[in-house]
Amino acid sequence: MSVDTLPKARQRYRWREARIALLFVLPCLLLFIAFRFGPAVAGGVLSFTDYTIGADTNWIGLENLRRLNEDPLFWRALRTTLTIALLAVPLSILMSLGMALLVRRAFRGSKLFRSIFFLPVITSLVLAGIVFTWIFSEGGPWTSVMGWLGFADRAWLSDTTLVIPAIVIVAVWGRFGFGMLILLARLQDVPRELEEAALADGAGAWQRFRYIILPELKPALFFLAVIETTFSFQIFDTVYVMTGGGPANSSYVLVYQLYDQAFRYFDFGYASAIGLALFVMTFIVAMIQRLTLGRER
Amino acid sequence: MTSAALGAVMLASACGGDDGGGANTGSAEPGEVEGSVTMWTYPVIADETEHRNFWDDTIAAFGEEYPNVDVEVEIFPWADRDQALSTAIAGNSAPDVVYMIPDQLPGYARNIEPIDGYLDDDAKADYLPNAIEAVTIDGEMTAAPILASAVTLTCNKEVFDDVGQSEYPETWDDLREMAPEFKDAGYDMFAYSGDVSQTLNLTFYPLLWQAGGDVFNDDGSEVTFNSEAGVEALTFLQEMVDGGYVSEDMLTSNPPVEQTKLAQGEVACEWHSEGKNLVEFWGEENTVILPPLTNAEQIAYGTVGSLAMLSSADDKDAAGAWISFVTEAERAAEYDEASGFLPVKESTGSLYEGDPLLGEAEKYVDLTTVGPLTEEAREVMGVLAPEIQAVLIGEKEPQQALDDAAAAAEAVVR
Amino acid sequence: MILPDSLIPWNLSMEAYDRVIGARSLLRWTLNTVIYSVVSVVGVLFFSSLAGYAFAKKRFPGKEVMFWSFIAMLMVPYHITVVPVFILISNAGGVNSYWGLILPTLANAQAVFLMRQFIKSLPDELFEAATVDGCSEWRMYVSIVVPLIKPILATLGVFVFLWHWNDFLWPLIIGQSNDMRTLTTGLASMNAENVPLNVVLAGSVVAFVPIFMAYLIGQRYFKEGVTMSGIKG
């Protein structure tokens, strides 16, 4: 083997390796081009057209965005979506945190609790919606309990104000188990000696939480906040099943409007414009995450 | 790749347009017509077996006259039928012939082959004028009517007897006057189906029309439901709801019928469902079909069911021959009778003379309208219905709600 | 919710549902859900492990660009792509078909990412030894890579399965005929059509039990799968 043939051999070997690697990536690549990259761009392009089934498509420029801007229903749906996020995100994080602290130490049945708390996460939101519709119905358990507690025993799902908390409750119920697991993983990293030392120094529960546990959890809490916000922007299944956007549009969220426009009125152009709005919202949240995390580092 | 994909999408949609050529089967010899025809229909006859049998018989009879045409009839569920049809059109798997009601026609007009040229003149002349009107878009007959319905006022005789009221309401004022009496006796004056998924054609629009208003202006370029008449109609409804005269159970949601106060005989009247649907609960002797209510006008909703040919049909002559065969007066009458709907042909005359239910409904066909026929009609319902609901649950005042709906509709209509 | 048309028989009677929709439909929906979930799991695991392996251990032109554009797709919400994908599938005649339901969901960025991360963490020597042995690439994938990535296959498999089993929006728009519904969309349609609550709840139990049983057996994988991916189906 002479010295100058070696690089050439390696080159050939690499080419062979690359060919095989490309072959391995190819199926995924094709799938992504057809169902992710292409549609992501097409989604943007569509929002500047009046595309609908069976008609000629016209380029209408900013018309759809102008319509968004003037559509009271869109603004209302945006407001409702943000309200749900504003309520659901902190609640679900608090709940996750509370439950994580509750079951972090091994005690009789702590495993069982973890399993039970996680169960909602794997439950279909459609099923949850069906059961919760009954729970919130007139004469349902929730309504009765509210009655005993001295509140008006009205059905929450048919009340324009209370329907939002009802949706939020179901969202939190379905999500807190996930947050709990994330936080539990982080809690294991809290140095036990540190906590014990603090305890010996007479630090109260709150102080131990504030100065020892919380700093450790901060990144995880932040991660949760972002993921939960994105998630609540996309709420749809439960609203579809429980309220259909009502009563009187009071639970009409953005994804519901997108669904209505695309698959009920077949106005795909306008639906894509709503999708674009959702994208911008998600993007902003992700950017906030980026910037804040960057600063922390 | 992306633009190619999108291009393909657009190309596909650009096809399927009209390929012109108004063939006229009226003159072709049946033996010369050949091809295959697929028709989609829905459970117009509720009993599946009976419905199937009807079409099998019809296909057999058609086959004798047109030996070279194969016909297939598929019965789809009512639910989500527009979605199924639209996607079939997009996917080039659309049927040749579809059952449609007037408020669907405008949305599909660009995919529909006008039927004018396929029906012979006698058949066209035999149609009742309002049936023709219901399927005519831009001066062309888009579909061939086969049945009609009239959803007037239906009252429960048992309730009236119990209250001791021997007169039935004819006007809004009658309702206003009678309501307290019924309330005292523990009955609701009427049921209003206010769930937002309910079509307004059966609920609010009749009131709007009775008040002398309409949903759109004449050319469909703007909504007019927030006119004085609209406010009057909604105010009337609000007044009745606030007075406690309207069944609460159906006001905002859509409970199973058998669980409603209406079905349980605790409600005097309703206008959102044909009387024949209540017989099961009230008994035939208690189901009284009455003329449409009157305020400024006397009018109710009624629909026209029709068969439309899609322009993507391969064998248009065959499809035309099939539609013409099926909608022929006698055969259509058979279908109407089997499904409990009303005839659309002059020559059929009365199908249900003496029948206490359909015979009554039949009399009022002239007083019905099929509702707005613009492409945006359904989307406008989508924005208006929640606003009406807001009034019914005391969140908004009529004028405000209708103005808000009109503002939202403006974005839809233009 | 769709506007019921004026000609929809307004008094759909209960028996009709018990008889027609009841047993027969539930069975069919369960079958559809199983097909949708199982085929997708197999497809996603196969394609993503191939790609993940290549991204982790191979050198080839365009690798970084490709990988990061895959990952960028995680940022694009599902809802912006759902409309174009639907148009694409419906133009190709995929509405109410299994392939129309399954194919688009095989492009799973998360799976590729997790596969690549996992395989990257495995020592290179494991793979180099095989290369020296003159193993063909395909045989190497089957006999070396697959056994090594079993843990991630299980975890990811459970997650993908769960996601599909509970998926709603996509089956809702693609499986429109009664025969092509999945359990979630079928139950939602029953719920919307006023089928008596006990029937709907019975159906819900049917939909929930398999997942619950699987959860009891493989809890660890469920928890890992869901936490790792961060997103609930």
Side-chain angles (χ1 to χ4, degrees):
Chain A
M1 192 188 282
S2 74
V3 181
D4 59 3
T5 54
L6 191 67
K8 210 177 171 190
R10 186 179 286 162
Q11 198 98 40
R12 206 178 302 135
Y13 175 66
R14 271 197 194 152
W15 171 231
R16 189 176 155 269
E17 179 189 7
R19 219 175 44 201
I20 283 168
L22 280 169
L23 212 62
F24 276 19
V25 174
L26 193 67
C28 257
L29 190 65
L30 292 180
L31 284 169
F32 267 72
I33 289 170
F35 301 119
R36 303 290 289 164
F37 303 138
V41 179
V45 174
L46 274 176
S47 35
F48 300 101
T49 69
D50 61 357
Y51 184 86
T52 185
I53 278 174
D56 294 339
T57 302
N58 303 301
W59 187 264
I60 54 168
L62 297 175
E63 175 63 22
N64 280 326
L65 296 184
R66 192 196 54 76
R67 184 175 155 190
L68 265 192
N69 184 39
E70 287 173 15
D71 183 354
L73 207 53
F74 167 74
W75 289 108
R76 179 158 192 189
L78 180 65
R79 229 173 25 242
T80 307
T81 307
L82 291 176
T83 310
I84 289 176
L86 226 56
L87 291 171
V89 173
L91 261 177
S92 120
I93 291 179
L94 276 178
M95 184 95 171
S96 307
L97 184 61
M99 293 302 159
L101 291 173
L102 204 71
V103 300
R104 65 188 281 229
R105 294 274 178 253
F107 60 88
R108 250 178 98 89
S110 67
K111 266 221 166 107
L112 183 69
F113 277 115
R114 289 184 195 188
S115 298
I116 292 174
F117 291 159
F118 192 69
L119 204 54
V121 183
I122 63 155
T123 307
S124 144
L125 286 173
V126 172
L127 301 195
I130 289 172
V131 176
F132 272 98
T133 306
W134 170 69
I135 290 177
F136 286 123
S137 67
E138 211 169 339
W142 182 268
T143 319
S144 313
V145 168
M146 285 292 128
W148 290 333
L149 293 176
F151 297 101
D153 56 349
R154 58 220 293 197
W156 278 30
L157 293 180
S158 17
D159 186 291
T160 48
T161 316
L162 293 174
V163 68
I164 297 291
I167 298 275
V168 166
I169 287 173
V170 183
V172 171
W173 174 87
R175 290 298 295 173
F176 82 90
F178 167 73
M180 178 191 78
L181 273 198
I182 298 278
L183 295 177
L184 271 176
R186 292 309 302 250
L187 279 172
Q188 285 167 358
D189 298 342
V190 177
R192 202 162 182 148
E193 317 78 63
L194 207 60
E195 259 190 280
E196 276 160 7
L199 194 61
D201 288 350
W206 167 250
Q207 280 170 317
R208 269 177 290 146
F209 172 73
R210 173 71 187 80
Y211 295 105
I212 298 173
I213 297 174
L214 200 56
E216 194 67 38
L217 290 184
K218 226 169 161 188
L221 287 172
F222 199 78
F223 164 78
L224 275 185
V226 170
I227 216 161
E228 293 302 305
T229 310
T230 325
F231 187 81
S232 58
F233 285 166
Q234 303 185 355
I235 209 159
F236 174 72
D237 303 11
T238 44
V239 173
Y240 182 96
V241 173
M242 292 168 67
T243 68
N249 277 343
S250 38
S251 61
Y252 199 70
V253 290
L254 279 180
V255 177
Y256 208 98
Q257 193 183 16
L258 186 152
Y259 171 81
D260 262 359
Q261 288 299 333
F263 304 109
R264 189 163 135 191
Y265 307 129
F266 309 110
D267 194 340
F268 292 115
Y270 193 48
S272 299
I274 299 168
L276 207 59
L278 268 167
F279 174 65
V280 171
M281 287 162 64
T282 318
F283 190 76
I284 291 173
V285 173
M287 278 303 116
I288 294 175
Q289 174 196 31
R290 261 286 157 84
L291 293 176
T292 325
L293 275 188
R295 214 182 48 212
E296 293 240 319
R297 276 186 207 135
Chain B
M1 170 64 207
T2 298
S3 61
L6 191 70
V9 162
M10 290 172 174
L11 196 69
S13 69
C15 307
D18 194 353
D19 17 0
N24 193 329
T25 356
S27 55
E29 284 299 315
E32 290 167 16
V33 182
E34 42 187 75
S36 63
V37 178
T38 311
M39 176 167 107
W40 284 9
T41 187
Y42 307 89
V44 174
I45 299 177
D47 185 291
E48 202 182 326
T49 323
E50 199 185 321
H51 198 192
R52 192 70 262 165
N53 290 340
F54 177 88
W55 288 114
D56 288 346
D57 293 349
T58 309
I59 291 169
F62 180 74
E64 276 170 28
E65 219 172 299
Y66 293 86
N68 299 321
V69 180
D70 286 328
V71 180
E72 198 188 331
V73 174
E74 294 181 56
I75 303 172
F76 277 65
W78 288 115
D80 298 342
R81 63 187 163 133
D82 277 315
Q83 219 176 16
L85 184 59
S86 295
T87 47
I89 291 174
N92 292 321
S93 57
D96 305 314
V97 179
V98 198
Y99 175 89
M100 287 190 186
I101 60 169
D103 79 338
Q104 283 177 288
L105 293 170
Y108 295 102
R110 53 179 171 255
N111 305 111
I112 288 179
E113 173 82 10
I115 200 71
D116 283 301
Y118 298 91
L119 299 177
D120 61 46
D121 293 340
D122 291 346
K124 276 186 274 185
D126 195 18
Y127 274 119
L128 297 169
N130 59 349
I132 294 260
E133 203 182 304
V135 295
T136 301
I137 296 174
D138 296 335
E140 284 183 311
M141 233 179 118
T142 50
I146 187 169
L147 59 83
S149 73
V151 194
T152 61
L153 182 72
T154 305
C155 295
N156 189 339
K157 182 168 178 294
E158 203 177 10
V159 174
F160 277 73
D161 287 350
D162 191 48
V163 173
Q165 175 61 257
S166 56
E167 302 283 315
Y168 290 103
E170 287 171 10
T171 63
W172 291 8
D173 284 337
D174 290 347
L175 285 175
R176 282 194 184 100
E177 241 163 72
M178 291 179 186
E181 207 184 323
F182 280 78
K183 189 183 176 186
D184 290 344
Y187 294 105
D188 294 326
M189 191 64 230
F190 61 84
Y192 180 87
S193 178
D195 186 272
V196 287
S197 64
Q198 177 71 280
T199 169
L200 295 179
N201 275 330
L202 287 166
T203 56
F204 181 69
Y205 288 174
L207 292 175
L208 177 65
W209 299 323
Q210 284 157 14
D214 207 345
V215 185
F216 292 92
N217 62 356
D218 285 339
D219 63 358
S221 60
E222 55 184 290
V223 295
T224 54
F225 53 69
N226 56 339
S227 61
E228 224 168 278
V231 177
E232 189 190 351
L234 191 49
T235 309
F236 168 67
L237 192 58
Q238 180 195 36
E239 181 193 316
M240 296 299 282
V241 169
D242 290 352
Y245 307 133
V246 183
S247 295
E248 281 204 341
D249 53 356
M250 309 180 67
L251 214 46
T252 53
S253 62
N254 200 2
V257 178
E258 45 284 324
Q259 290 170 24
T260 58
K261 290 172 84 177
L262 182 66
Q264 288 158 4
E266 294 169 40
V267 180
C269 301
E270 62 85 28
W271 63 80
H272 62 257
S273 170
E274 285 161 274
K276 63 178 185 187
N277 296 328
L278 288 162
V279 171
E280 173 185 347
F281 305 106
W282 295 356
E284 199 167 310
E285 67 288 0
N286 290 320
T287 312
V288 186
I289 311 281
L290 297 155
L293 282 168
T294 311
N295 189 48
E297 301 201 20
Q298 185 181 25
I299 186 166
Y301 174 76
T303 198
V304 170
S306 61
L307 299 180
M309 187 198 308
L310 296 182
S311 43
S312 56
D314 286 330
D315 307 309
K316 292 199 173 60
D317 286 344
W322 165 251
I323 292 179
S324 160
F325 183 84
V326 174
T327 55
E328 180 266 323
E330 263 175 57
R331 199 161 290 282
E334 229 176 275
Y335 193 50
D336 298 340
E337 222 173 341
S339 56
F341 285 101
L342 310 175
V344 284
K345 295 268 185 162
E346 211 89 66
S347 64
T348 310
S350 168
L351 259 189
Y352 302 103
E353 183 121 36
D355 182 308
L357 299 169
L358 291 162
E360 283 300 306
E362 203 174 36
K363 288 185 198 162
Y364 309 119
V365 170
D366 287 347
L367 295 173
T368 64
T369 170
V370 294
L373 290 184
T374 67
E375 200 182 334
E376 297 87 5
R378 288 187 174 204
E379 198 170 348
V380 165
M381 279 185 196
V383 298
L384 177 54
E387 295 292 346
I388 292 174
Q389 198 175 64
V391 172
L392 302 186
I393 57 180
E395 291 277 320
K396 277 189 187 177
E397 286 303 312
Q399 180 78 58
Q400 182 67 41
L402 293 174
D403 285 346
D404 288 351
E410 207 176 291
V412 174
V413 172
R414 44 150 141 217
Chain C
M1 215 174 274
I2 291 275
L3 290 179
D5 298 294
S6 2
L7 275 185
I8 290 185
W10 170 73
N11 56 335
L12 295 162
S13 69
M14 288 166 56
E15 310 94 79
Y17 276 107
D18 289 341
R19 208 178 59 232
V20 182
I21 287 203
R24 207 180 65 198
S25 295
L26 264 182
L27 205 67
R28 176 78 204 218
W29 299 341
T30 312
L31 179 75
N32 291 345
T33 313
V34 169
I35 292 175
Y36 180 44
S37 311
V38 172
V39 176
S40 300
V41 167
V42 173
V44 167
L45 290 184
F46 179 60
F47 293 132
S48 69
S49 61
L50 277 180
Y53 169 52
F55 281 132
K57 296 294 178 194
K58 300 278 169 202
R59 275 167 302 180
F60 59 94
K63 174 169 135 176
E64 293 300 306
V65 178
M66 254 188 253
F67 180 69
W68 289 109
S69 39
F70 276 33
I71 299 317
M73 284 299 114
L74 285 172
M75 275 283 299
V76 178
Y78 179 48
H79 300 101
I80 197 169
T81 56
V82 70
V83 169
V85 173
F86 171 78
I87 294 172
L88 189 69
I89 292 290
S90 86
N91 276 290
V95 170
N96 285 326
S97 75
Y98 288 118
W99 70 263
L101 195 59
I102 293 167
L103 203 57
T105 65
L106 298 184
N108 190 325
Q110 214 135 30
V112 175
F113 177 71
L114 293 171
M115 278 291 175
R116 183 248 194 187
Q117 296 305 87
F118 186 86
I119 299 173
K120 215 178 166 69
S121 70
L122 298 171
D124 284 349
E125 295 82 54
L126 289 173
F127 302 93
E128 275 161 14
T131 322
V132 174
D133 287 350
C135 234
S136 86
E137 286 290 339
W138 174 250
R139 259 195 53 211
M140 176 153 146
Y141 167 78
V142 173
S143 55
I144 310 272
V145 179
V146 171
L148 281 173
I149 60 172
K150 264 189 187 151
I152 188 89
L153 286 178
T155 315
L156 195 60
V158 162
F159 163 68
V160 175
F161 181 83
L162 194 61
W163 193 88
H164 283 88
W165 189 273
N166 290 340
D167 193 15
F168 182 63
L169 185 59
W170 184 245
L172 180 70
I173 58 186
I174 284 296
Q176 293 171 358
S177 70
N178 191 53
D179 275 356
M180 281 306 292
R181 286 187 172 137
T182 59
L183 280 168
T184 51
T185 59
L187 287 170
S189 73
M190 279 169 108
N191 194 48
E193 283 160 12
N194 284 323
V195 178
L197 190 68
N198 51 359
V199 180
V200 184
L201 286 177
S204 308
V205 171
V206 174
F208 181 66
V209 161
I211 279 284
F212 183 64
M213 300 298 273
Y215 176 63
L216 286 185
I217 298 163
Q219 250 192 68
R220 186 167 71 88
Y221 295 111
F222 274 74
K223 288 180 181 167
E224 271 177 24
V226 174
T227 9
M228 206 166 61
S229 53
I231 291 169
K232 182 184 176 180

